[in-house]
Amino acid sequence: MEKCWESPNSTDALVSAFPSRLAGDVRSGLAVVPDGRLSSADPLNVEVWGETVTIPYRIYHDEPNADVVRSLPGIQQVILHCLYSRHCDGRARQRHLEQIVRLDEAWVVPFVVQLAGEYVVEILEAIYRGLPGLGVPDSLQRGLYGEFIARNPAFFASTERRVVSYWSCYYRWKYPEFGTYPGSSLAEAFRAAASERAGAPWPRHTPAPLVNTDGQTT
């Protein structure tokens, strides 16, 4: 069960989820967000553009009116989609993820990677579909994710461990081998991006993928 405290996903706390150069746009976007009364503990600290940002583990605000959100400048819409990808409702997380996953913005990346370490398998599949460049050597998308993981190795290691834990707890019955679980393919793709960025194999914190008799990994 998530630990919560009263009051506060304050504006300042949510502004800190993004690099400082976006602070004005974050505050403007938050002006349309309904108040939230609970905030989960253990926010996530990661590095983006040489700054430490603090991403909420969950937010409990109601979603703002969709027409109001569409009236905002594009960057403010993206900021709100990022924040609501941390919503307590898994369906809401997936809806907002699908609005940001294809964007090649460094400050979007940690929100996507965090979702890769959560338990909704449909979200894992949406991430994999939304990142076609992740498997393309030297692509912009692969570079962005590889750079983020290289700067945040402990965060990614924790993400990998959560992928394994949720598979074992909730999905082993459906995917008896970890290598067949969607989270395994996603972790492999992220690790390949980090390896390309580092110029060396990236440490593994998941079971190795299966190897078929024809030598192909699964």
Side-chain angles (χ1 to χ4, degrees):
M1 177 180 290
E2 296 171 8
K3 300 176 291 182
C4 299
W5 66 78
E6 287 289 345
S7 112
N9 283 330
S10 68
T11 296
D12 287 345
L14 296 179
V15 168
S16 72
F18 301 89
S20 58
R21 76 173 184 86
L22 299 178
D25 282 305
V26 179
R27 291 183 184 278
S28 295
L30 289 174
V32 306
V33 171
D35 289 339
R37 291 185 296 173
L38 292 174
S39 174
S40 61
D42 303 322
L44 314 163
N45 295 315
V46 294
E47 181 185 337
V48 177
W49 285 340
E51 292 184 52
T52 298
V53 299
T54 304
I55 297 172
Y57 186 74
R58 288 283 183 262
I59 66 170
Y60 295 83
H61 304 72
D62 290 337
E63 295 176 87
N65 179 277
D67 289 335
V68 173
V69 173
R70 283 192 288 268
S71 72
L72 297 174
I75 192 169
Q76 293 174 23
Q77 294 184 43
V78 174
I79 286 166
L80 292 184
H81 289 310
C82 286
L83 289 174
Y84 278 93
S85 76
R86 309 304 316 132
H87 197 269
C88 56
D89 183 296
R91 294 182 183 86
R93 291 199 296 279
Q94 182 172 351
R95 283 198 306 273
H96 293 283
L97 161 74
E98 289 171 347
Q99 298 299 314
I100 62 173
V101 65
R102 295 180 183 274
L103 301 179
D104 294 328
E105 291 283 359
W107 49 273
V108 170
V109 170
F111 292 92
V112 177
V113 176
Q114 170 60 22
L115 282 166
E118 298 189 5
Y119 60 88
V120 181
V121 71
E122 291 83 2
I123 289 179
L124 303 181
E125 293 167 343
I127 295 172
Y128 201 80
R129 289 194 305 270
L131 296 177
L134 202 57
V136 180
D138 299 317
S139 69
L140 174 59
Q141 206 167 64
R142 195 172 195 178
L144 280 170
Y145 282 83
E147 175 70 16
F148 173 75
I149 293 167
R151 288 179 176 270
N152 297 278
F155 175 78
F156 182 62
S158 295
T159 300
E160 288 186 288
R161 293 185 181 104
R162 287 195 301 271
V163 170
V164 177
S165 179
Y166 285 127
W167 162 73
S168 181
C169 185
Y170 297 117
Y171 295 106
R172 190 189 286 261
W173 65 272
K174 185 174 182 179
Y175 305 98
E177 298 291 343
F178 178 73
T180 64
Y181 175 56
S184 173
S185 300
L186 195 52
E188 289 297 317
F190 283 141
R191 195 180 302 108
S195 297
E196 182 176 277
R197 174 64 181 81
W202 197 257
R204 173 184 296 280
H205 299 94
T206 67
L210 300 174
V211 179
N212 295 330
T213 54
D214 60 3
Q216 298 296 310
T217 58
T218 62

